[in-house]
Amino acid sequence: MSFIEFVSKNYNEILKSLVRHIELVGISILIGILISIPLGIFLTRHKRVAGPVLALAGTIQTIPGLVMLGFALVLIGIGMLPAIIVLTLYAILPILRNTYTGITEVDKSYTEASRGIGMTNMQTLFKVEIPIALPTIITGIRLSTVYIVSWATLAGLIGAGGLGDLIWTGLSTYNTKYILAGAVPSAILAFILNGLIGLLERILTPRGLRRSRI
Amino acid sequence: MIKFQNVSKCYGHTAILKNISFDIKQGEFVVLIGPSGCGKTTTLKTINRLIEPDNGKIFIDGKDITKANPVELRRTIGYVIQQIGLFPNMTVEQNISIVPKLLKYPKQKCQEIVQDLLALVDMPYEENAHKYPTELSGGQQQRIGVLRALAASPPIILMDEPFGALDPITRDSLQEEIKRIQKKLKKTIVFVTHDMDEALRLADTIIFMNNGKIVQMASPEEMLQNPADSIIKSFLGKHMDNGNGVPKLFAEDFMKTKVFKVPRTSRTLECIKLMSSKDVNSLVVLNDDDTYLGTVSIEDIKALGKPGKEIAELVTNDVITVSRKEGAQIAFDKLLSSKSNYVIVLNDNQTVAGLITRTSMAKALGEALWGEVL
Ligand SMILES: Nc1ncnc2c1ncn2[C@@H]1O[C@H](COP(=O)(O)OP(=O)(O)OP(=O)(O)O)[C@@H](O)[C@H]1O
Ligand SMILES: [Mg+2]
């Protein structure tokens, strides 16, 4: 049985896993964004806590995914919820760090001008700092997304489903077609999402801020 | 208009401003100058409350500025900085109209403001309004920086070394423009620089600071003639005659301000009457807006004029003109090499300031040699 035949035969199962995978990635990135961007902005206003918080987020990042999933399994059980919690934790750092550095690195002349001409702190944030930092922030989201697409394959281990399910099934039964059926779509997914978010970044970057890219 | 009353500021134990007091009048162009770190920027920023003094009070139009909301205060004071600080994510139009928008002016009005202001600096709207700052030259960017400060018609504009990063030619033309705009729109400007040339060119009043104190506050002429301190002399540098205490002199220092002027629409007969009653043989002719048009001599009128003719037709332009800030020596050279007996001294706005005759030149030279001659 060729790989193509395998795919057409297990089409539904693969599609279901893919959809679940996208759900896992989408939800955790979304929650990650909702946490990291406000937190990152908060840290730029409270630089003294920024160091410790970024260090903590960095430490979380270094804990191996399997260990984290193990904790989640013990503490919360199986299913989508623990998987999403773990993935969200991983999604936070790149977005948080890029939000923080993106805004911190906005040239002082812009913020000084905005204050000097009478913008409130909020206006400075929304009209000047965030728009200028936006490309950096979106880059953080892109990094997180690519990263979470691959981490999400581990979620299958704690019964959250997704493309990881196929891979683990394949690994435990020595069935390379299962492995490929999980690995290939997740690679393509990462590739496509990377491209889409990159495109979004370009669209959202005002002409005045576009630099030639490497 | 702006009043400083014993204003002090410390950072830690270092006193940056030490008991500063001064008054700035409505419509005055005041230049703050002094060595680096003397507190010019700090002084400037206390005016729009980017920095709060530790002691003393600042009043604008008699009102203590600490009583105002700082954000609202800043919207009524234009602010231009050396780094320009145009928002890179906004177009020229968006940058200029930002304060009017903060003040919730209607859209239509914002656009009119942008159009009027761009016209003021000769940057056509169609060509420039939709560009981003990175698409402009440095000089154009700072022009827009100035326009952004002007947009909501604030009566006061603060400028911190606005032209410091520009090349000399661009700087020259921006200095001219800002002076013209200031006169036209009657703004009160507080301008920081460390360039004495710039200060002399622009200022009605120069405030010289050193070490957080005001060393001298005077008009450019006064400062040139009586610098209060050796540090001011060193700043005046090339404007002083090699340190021998003789200040550099300008055309305006020698001119006679009593000039007989007539509008271009005057008739030949009136002119002849005026000349004979004042015992002069030529008159200065002005355009309708009082700018200099040319001169007319009695010979010309006699030779070519018909009674009742408009004088404008007989005006000639062979008398040389100099600007009032032209060095005296250059003005003299021009006078000596000219056929006529005098040169006309013009203000920056092309109105007539006075004239230098061969007699007034001789008198000036005499004074330089023998002191006051009568
Ligand atoms: N936030 C700050 N904390 C401590 N010291 C400061 C601070 N801001 C300015 N200073 C010091 O105050 C002094 C005056 O600064 P200011 O910026 O007013 O100088 P300046 O006259 O504008 O100088 P320059 O010509 O270099 O711009 C300087 O010695 C500077 O180091
Ligand atoms: Mg300064």
Side-chain angles (χ1 to χ4, degrees):
Chain A
M1 186 168 59
S2 76
F3 183 57
I4 306 288
E5 280 172 75
F6 175 85
V7 170
S8 57
K9 195 161 150 253
N10 296 284
Y11 181 73
N12 276 332
E13 193 189 349
I14 296 173
L15 189 67
K16 221 176 82 202
S17 301
L18 177 65
V19 169
R20 169 57 62 86
H21 204 88
I22 294 174
E23 278 170 4
L24 286 171
V25 173
I27 294 173
S28 39
I29 288 292
L30 207 65
I31 301 175
I33 290 174
L34 291 178
I35 295 173
S36 317
I37 294 186
L39 182 60
I41 292 169
F42 175 84
L43 293 182
T44 62
R45 266 61 185 160
H46 300 84
K47 294 234 162 76
R48 244 177 311 151
V49 290
V53 172
L54 289 171
L56 177 71
T59 313
I60 293 176
Q61 206 75 7
T62 59
I63 303 173
L66 276 172
V67 176
M68 284 281 267
L69 281 171
F71 277 132
L73 183 68
V74 172
L75 295 174
I76 309 168
I78 58 164
M80 262 181 100
L81 181 68
I84 285 177
I85 291 176
V86 170
L87 292 178
T88 301
L89 282 175
Y90 282 113
I92 285 177
L93 183 73
I95 308 176
L96 180 66
R97 197 175 39 204
N98 278 34
T99 304
Y100 180 78
T101 50
I103 292 183
T104 310
E105 282 170 6
V106 169
D107 198 287
K108 286 286 154 294
S109 65
Y110 303 135
T111 45
E112 157 144 11
S114 73
R115 255 158 55 80
I117 64 174
M119 286 197 199
T120 61
N121 288 337
M122 278 296 151
Q123 286 164 337
T124 301
L125 178 66
F126 284 104
K127 288 181 195 288
V128 179
E129 293 178 288
I130 291 183
I132 295 176
L134 201 60
T136 314
I137 297 174
I138 297 180
T139 301
I141 296 175
R142 191 162 53 90
L143 291 175
S144 261
T145 307
V146 171
Y147 195 62
I148 294 303
V149 169
S150 73
W151 278 126
T153 53
L154 287 178
L157 286 178
I158 56 168
L163 293 167
D165 254 3
L166 303 174
I167 298 175
W168 297 112
T169 309
L171 283 175
S172 53
T173 57
Y174 301 107
N175 186 335
T176 47
K177 293 191 183 97
Y178 261 107
I179 299 179
L180 283 177
V184 172
S186 69
I188 295 174
L189 184 62
F191 185 76
I192 291 177
L193 287 178
N194 186 33
L196 282 180
I197 299 175
L199 190 70
L200 185 73
E201 187 180 326
R202 274 186 165 253
I203 294 171
L204 289 182
T205 306
R207 200 167 85 226
L209 280 170
R210 278 178 214 164
R211 296 159 268 232
S212 48
R213 268 168 218 289
I214 322 146
Chain B
M1 177 116 224
I2 305 174
K3 186 182 182 68
F4 271 56
Q5 215 171 61
N6 307 317
V7 173
S8 303
K9 174 78 188 171
C10 298
Y11 283 118
H13 291 296
T14 330
I16 303 299
L17 298 183
K18 302 170 187 163
N19 219 17
I20 299 239
S21 301
F22 59 80
D23 263 302
I24 293 175
K25 289 194 292 286
Q26 148 86 48
E28 198 171 7
F29 199 127
V30 173
V31 175
L32 284 173
I33 191 169
S36 186
C38 69
K40 306 180 292 287
T41 298
T42 310
T43 306
L44 195 76
K45 286 186 179 174
T46 55
I47 300 175
N48 62 3
R49 294 187 64 188
L50 285 174
I51 294 176
E52 303 280 358
D54 300 324
N55 273 306
K57 285 196 183 325
I58 300 166
F59 301 90
I60 292 181
D61 282 334
K63 286 191 272 286
D64 182 344
I65 59 168
T66 55
K67 302 279 193 293
N69 172 309
V71 168
E72 281 161 23
L73 175 78
R74 290 175 199 140
R75 290 178 188 172
T76 63
I77 301 178
Y79 188 49
V80 185
I81 56 176
Q82 175 171 359
Q83 307 86 334
I84 303 174
L86 289 181
F87 304 123
N89 52 317
M90 301 181 194
T91 61
V92 164
E93 172 151 32
Q94 290 166 333
N95 266 290
I96 297 177
S97 58
I98 193 137
V99 185
K101 278 194 191 130
L102 292 175
L103 293 168
K104 309 238 161 17
Y105 286 19
K107 248 203 177 114
Q108 176 76 31
K109 172 102 175 130
C110 291
Q111 200 188 2
E112 276 167 26
I113 290 174
V114 174
Q115 286 171 338
D116 292 350
L117 287 175
L118 283 173
L120 194 64
V121 294
D122 266 331
M123 289 175 67
Y125 179 89
E126 276 68 31
E127 211 172 291
N128 294 288
H130 305 296
K131 283 188 179 162
Y132 281 90
T134 46
E135 297 162 343
L136 302 175
S137 71
Q140 289 175 320
Q141 286 183 28
Q142 193 56 298
R143 280 189 181 86
I144 304 303
V146 171
L147 298 188
R148 180 174 66 185
L150 290 168
S153 315
I156 299 174
I157 296 169
L158 310 179
M159 309 181 91
D160 195 348
E161 305 200 26
F163 310 143
L166 303 175
D167 65 89
I169 295 173
T170 312
R171 184 161 58 223
D172 269 11
S173 65
L174 270 143
Q175 284 168 348
E176 227 160 79
E177 280 170 44
I178 193 68
K179 191 73 190 170
R180 180 172 56 80
I181 290 171
Q182 185 248 351
K183 280 196 184 132
K184 182 164 175 198
L185 306 178
K186 304 196 173 50
K187 301 292 181 191
T188 307
I189 295 186
V190 187
F191 187 109
V192 168
T193 184
H194 54 241
D195 174 0
M196 196 42 120
D197 279 336
E198 190 165 66
L200 291 172
R201 258 187 106 168
L202 296 175
D204 297 319
T205 304
I206 300 177
I207 298 181
F208 195 103
M209 292 183 69
N210 192 21
N211 273 327
K213 286 196 222 142
I214 295 181
V215 185
Q216 186 174 18
M217 178 166 175
S219 68
E221 296 77 19
E222 164 77 17
M223 198 166 277
L224 277 167
Q225 271 152 23
N226 302 305
D229 191 287
S230 57
I231 184 163
I232 302 184
K233 279 189 195 149
S234 76
F235 256 76
L236 289 168
K238 63 176 177 185
H239 298 278
M240 307 280 298
D241 233 0
N242 302 327
N244 66 2
V246 180
K248 179 167 175 178
L249 296 166
F250 298 101
E252 62 182 6
D253 297 313
F254 298 106
M255 68 191 182
K256 303 199 322 188
T257 48
K258 201 168 165 207
V259 181
F260 298 105
K261 294 168 271 198
V262 291
R264 55 176 299 152
T265 48
S266 318
R267 309 284 153 178
T268 44
L269 274 180
E270 298 167 49
C271 293
I272 291 178
K273 268 190 205 153
L274 184 66
M275 286 189 207
S276 57
S277 75
K278 301 295 177 195
D279 197 22
V280 290
N281 55 13
S282 62
L283 293 172
V284 171
V285 184
L286 302 182
N287 287 312
D288 297 332
D289 58 359
D290 279 355
T291 56
Y292 175 71
L293 174 66
T295 58
V296 63
S297 69
I298 194 132
E299 289 86 359
D300 288 343
I301 298 182
K302 282 186 177 152
L304 307 162
K306 299 188 196 92
K309 209 172 179 185
E310 264 197 21
I311 203 73
E313 295 172 33
L314 300 173
V315 166
T316 57
N317 253 321
D318 30 344
V319 177
I320 288 172
T321 62
V322 297
S323 107
R324 61 186 300 158
K325 283 279 179 255
E326 188 77 86
Q329 198 184 346
I330 297 172
F332 287 175
D333 284 346
K334 286 187 176 169
L335 175 53
L336 290 173
S337 60
S338 122
K339 309 196 295 275
S340 72
N341 283 324
Y342 56 96
V343 294
I344 308 266
V345 184
L346 296 182
N347 292 314
D348 288 347
N349 60 4
Q350 300 302 305
T351 54
V352 176
L355 47 85
I356 301 179
T357 61
R358 288 178 191 257
T359 324
S360 56
M361 182 180 85
K363 189 163 171 252
L365 290 173
E367 275 180 29
L369 281 172
W370 303 298
E372 198 80 34
V373 282
L374 288 171

